[in-house]
Amino acid sequence: MKYKSTRSDETVSPSYALLHGLAGDGGLYVPVRFPENVLTYDDIKEKTYKQIACLVLSYFFTNFSAADLEAMADRAYNRETFRAETVVPLRSLDTDVSIAELFHGRTSAFKDLALSIFPHLLTAAKKEETECGEILILTATSGDTGKAAMEGFKDVAGTHITVFYPSDGVSSMQKMQMQKQEGGNVDVKAIYGNFDDAQSFLKRVFTDKEVNAYAQKKGVMFSSANSINIGRLLPQIVYYVSTYAALVENGSIGVGEPFDIVVPTGNFGNILAAYLAGKMGIPLGQLICASNKNKVLADFFASGTYDMNRPFYTTNSPSMDILLSSNFERFLYYLTGGDTDKVAAWEKELAETGRLTAGEAERAALTEHFAGDWIDDEETKFVINHTFNDNMYLFDPHSAVAYGVYLKRKRAGLMSGRHTVIMATAHPYKFPSVICEALGLPADEDPFDALERLYAVSAMNIPKPLKRLQKLPLRFTETINKDAMKTAVMETIDRIGAHTERRRGLE
Ligand SMILES: *Cc1c(COP(=O)(O)O)cnc(C)c1O
């Protein structure tokens, strides 16, 4: 399997795409020939998550042997990395609605599902592409990716990771998770700016000739752990496939019967993985993109115009506070049937004017599979409160946005009547103060006090890694201006370079 850019016909190997993250022309890598309709229920029935992961990934990483993929999946999906036996357990709210819980990994967010296997894919790729030196992973995070990436990469030989997060754009628990990160190869900096600032900066660094030349001289290569990287995106297909198998097995749907999915969306990576699972043969009905007040995607699905010229809101579902959704570019690529010239022209327009409009043909293709909707912070809290009181189920704010959008569309007669799966992307205890507010409990500053209070009313166990956090020392408390990000990256390159030279001197 070869990969190509969404903006041109430059093709590369899977290992090259994994290592570089972003294509040289600024586009994103996509498989040259997507494996369409290759999966049926018979291929996946009675398989474990690990086995499904090996099967799905074997279509995309043809360069790795079955035994190699199996070893990677073993290390990624086991009882130390995931608390749930089935990795992604399903719960039912009622006969029409299931919840796929994607938050049983080490950092309690769905990012763990891809980021527990991504470091193994990347180190295997590094072995294949022998010319590259030390890898520096640069990651922008809206709260969850950064922590999950650091947990995945901490103390992995030959890799270093630097994370940038918006100082005022993450929950107190998310901040604590990052500030207390362990590992000798990690660095975290808060920035005065938002997620879009951090992500745009990194995209520029990845294609900046001067910075790249400097890094190369020091024996350092950049990569990305954001969902622009195929190593992040493709492993996310797996849980849509496993969810289909689980729905058939528990009798919610029949073999081959389509189901709808609601995905709380920010960077468009998770919902794009659903779309790709559908392309592989999983019977999907409608894919519903759920947004908070930063509803640029919901507006796009309604009007066909993607318009970033609008205020940026800090909401109580911070991991979705994004106006420029990176993976949207891959979506445009598929929407146009792989028209790289059109995608390149759109991306240029978007960069220059902050706006793009899809044509009639694309809009028709769009509404065939997708819909978008949104709810605000007050409605999100209302949903958390009611689902807890009526169904004894505690949603985190992001998953509550998805369920709230489902309820809103159901009331408006817009749901199809098919079985619907809500993708639950984070553990509620990652956002203790919002949950306390929603339940009418005091929401004080200390997130650990809030956790104890939530435990008292819900009897839901506190995940061990969150509990352990309380006793760890603060390590990374620096906040920098966004125009100091380049200097920070240069300093890290120097530090890695000096370290490599020292080691070479000793050998
Ligand atoms: C990252 C994240 C999202 C958004 O996912 P995308 O793939 O960026 O669309 C939603 N919820 C939570 C909890 C997240 O961490």
Side-chain angles (χ1 to χ4, degrees), residues 97-101 261-262 395 399 402-403 406 420-424:
V97 181
S98 300
I99 301 167
E101 293 186 341
I261 289 179
V262 193
F395 274 121
S399 315
Y403 188 53
Y406 166 82
T420 301
V421 181
I422 309 296
M423 302 315 280

Side-chain angles (χ1 to χ4, degrees), residues 109-111 142 144 264-270 319-320 396 398 425-426:
F110 88 92
K111 309 293 199 296
S142 56
D144 290 326
T265 296
N267 227 354
F268 211 73
N270 198 359
S319 301
M320 291 153 67
D396 97 282
H398 304 77
T425 48

Side-chain angles (χ1 to χ4, degrees), residues 416-446:
S416 64
R418 285 184 284 259
H419 193 81
T420 301
V421 181
I422 309 296
M423 302 315 280
T425 48
H427 195 290
Y429 287 2
K430 270 197 112 161
F431 304 92
S433 61
V434 184
I435 307 287
C436 282
E437 268 176 51
L439 300 185
L441 300 167
D444 46 7
E445 284 296 292
D446 187 278

